[in-house]
Amino acid sequence: MKRSLLALLALVGFNSFAAEGTQFDWGYSKETAPEQWSKIKPEYQTCEGLNQAPINIDQTVSAQLPALKLNYSSKADTIINNQRTVQINFAAGSNLELDHKVFDLKQFHLHSPSEHTIQAKSFAMEMHFVHVTEQGELAVVAVMFEEGQENKKLKQLWKELPKKSGNTVQLKHQDLATAFLPEKLDYYRFNGSLTTPPCSEGVRWIVLKEIQQASKQQIQAFSSLMEHPNNRPVQPTNARLVLE
């Protein structure tokens, strides 16, 4: 693996298990809040870029988008509470085929409330499936959760939530990533960025239209673990097109 790709994976949290007492130089409140990210250090200046994520999905352009090719066959490996989110890492073997390229699934993580909004509506929780090519190109599939019925798959996963920041747990319930996807895979697509520093742009975003449900207790279990909202506010869409 090239050094540049290793650096990129570290930046977006792939297999980066934060030790106890790890201090992040960015956060979600006060002097390290999202509006301050670009000022924290030069490497984060892209956070003021013109193609940032998340966005409010409102005005869209109709397009003949191809069906998503999600080849998810590997199992979940570990779960970590890294102080900024809960991240589930996957063993090798799953991928997304997009734009005639293969993006390997590395992990999914959670935000509450949602980062993206749809017609100005915020959701209780948002799950990001993060994929990367061998060349370091990124694609993220986002799934929204609203408060409703208990989610059976989340129920299993929540039993193994690391309560202490920095803890990593080897998962016993090694569900496939497909377990957390909706039945219908209709989606919005746009170009954006990472939603955390360094806010690197050029990320292919796929936001699924079908909304999943999770119970009030399940949503609170995650949000209370974080002790604070961990969503970046929506960013200006500017001249970008949102396809559907």
Side-chain angles (χ1 to χ4, degrees):
M1 187 179 286
K2 296 179 181 179
R3 180 176 295 181
S4 59
L5 179 52
L6 284 170
L8 177 63
L9 297 184
L11 286 171
V12 296
F14 298 156
N15 302 315
S16 55
F17 302 147
E20 288 188 45
T22 296
Q23 296 296 316
F24 286 80
D25 58 8
W26 59 270
Y28 292 97
S29 62
K30 300 180 180 178
E31 66 274 5
T32 63
E35 58 268 22
Q36 304 297 329
W37 287 349
S38 65
K39 305 179 184 68
I40 292 174
K41 61 183 182 182
E43 291 87 339
Y44 298 169
Q45 287 182 356
T46 305
C47 296
E48 287 189 339
L50 297 177
N51 295 307
Q52 290 291 291
I55 63 170
N56 174 45
I57 297 171
D58 188 2
Q59 297 183 2
T60 61
V61 176
S62 296
Q64 292 183 334
L65 295 175
L68 281 186
K69 293 183 179 180
L70 295 169
N71 309 307
Y72 287 174
S73 58
S74 59
K75 294 182 178 180
D77 183 20
T78 54
I79 181 170
I80 178 174
N81 172 356
N82 66 8
Q83 301 182 18
R84 292 296 176 264
T85 187
V86 168
Q87 176 177 308
I88 291 80
N89 299 300
F90 279 83
S94 294
N95 61 65
L96 162 67
E97 294 181 49
L98 187 67
D99 299 339
H100 306 291
K101 301 183 180 194
V102 176
F103 294 77
D104 294 318
L105 174 66
K106 296 296 181 179
Q107 48 104 326
F108 73 68
H109 60 268
L110 293 150
H111 296 273
S112 181
S114 70
E115 297 202 300
H116 293 87
T117 58
I118 300 176
Q119 295 181 354
K121 180 180 179 180
S122 175
F123 296 88
M125 197 161 61
E126 182 172 344
M127 182 179 286
H128 290 165
F129 294 82
V130 185
H131 311 74
V132 64
T133 67
E134 290 184 355
Q135 292 73 38
E137 296 179 65
L138 290 163
V140 182
V141 175
V143 180
M144 303 296 178
F145 287 79
E146 64 184 0
E147 185 178 317
Q149 296 181 346
E150 182 180 63
N151 188 297
K152 293 181 180 179
K153 293 300 180 182
L154 282 179
K155 182 179 181 179
Q156 291 182 346
L157 188 63
W158 262 214
K159 291 178 181 178
E160 302 182 66
L161 278 178
K163 299 297 189 293
K164 194 172 183 180
S165 178
N167 282 4
T168 301
V169 174
Q170 189 71 38
L171 286 168
K172 297 176 182 177
H173 297 97
Q174 296 177 317
D175 283 308
L176 302 180
T178 50
F180 300 97
L181 295 174
E183 292 183 7
K184 295 181 180 179
L185 297 177
D186 296 336
Y187 62 95
Y188 303 101
R189 177 173 176 175
F190 65 95
N191 290 326
S193 71
L194 299 176
T195 64
T196 59
C199 308
S200 305
E201 296 185 341
V203 178
R204 294 166 168 87
W205 275 95
I206 303 290
V207 178
L208 299 186
K209 293 183 178 182
E210 185 172 335
I211 311 302
Q212 296 281 64
Q213 291 192 351
S215 69
K216 181 178 181 180
Q217 291 74 19
Q218 288 178 318
I219 295 164
Q220 287 181 340
F222 173 72
S223 58
S224 62
L225 192 65
M226 292 293 98
E227 299 179 352
H228 52 72
N230 70 332
N231 64 314
R232 185 188 192 189
V234 295
Q235 304 297 301
T237 305
N238 295 319
R240 283 177 287 175
L241 297 178
V242 180
L243 307 179
E244 68 167 318

